[in-house]
Amino acid sequence: MDLGVSGFDWDKGNRDKCQKRGVSLVAIEGVFHGSFALFPDSAHSEAEERFKAIGRTDEVC
């Protein structure tokens, strides 16, 4: 699947959640540069369409 990801728009809330869990924004963005699986994530929002992405990154966490 080629989503053509061209960039990321991190709001303060998302940046803070990632840092709290010890995952860098670089590592998260790196997942989208390789192969990844994408799944619907309707359990986390009733107001917008959300997805989960599972993949690998070259960054050591």
Side-chain angles (χ1 to χ4, degrees):
M1 170 184 271
D2 182 11
L3 295 178
V5 176
S6 62
F8 296 84
D9 186 12
W10 294 99
D11 65 23
K12 183 177 178 353
N14 284 328
R15 284 192 308 268
D16 291 348
K17 287 177 191 175
C18 296
Q19 290 174 347
K20 179 180 176 182
R21 290 172 175 82
V23 181
S24 75
L25 301 182
V26 172
I28 294 168
E29 292 178 13
V31 168
F32 294 92
H33 295 293
S35 296
F36 60 93
L38 194 64
F39 303 95
D41 187 14
S42 58
H44 287 97
S45 179
E46 294 179 10
E48 63 185 3
E49 191 173 23
R50 291 192 177 193
F51 299 90
K52 297 178 191 178
I54 300 174
R56 294 183 181 259
T57 179
D58 291 335
E59 183 172 304
V60 178
C61 298

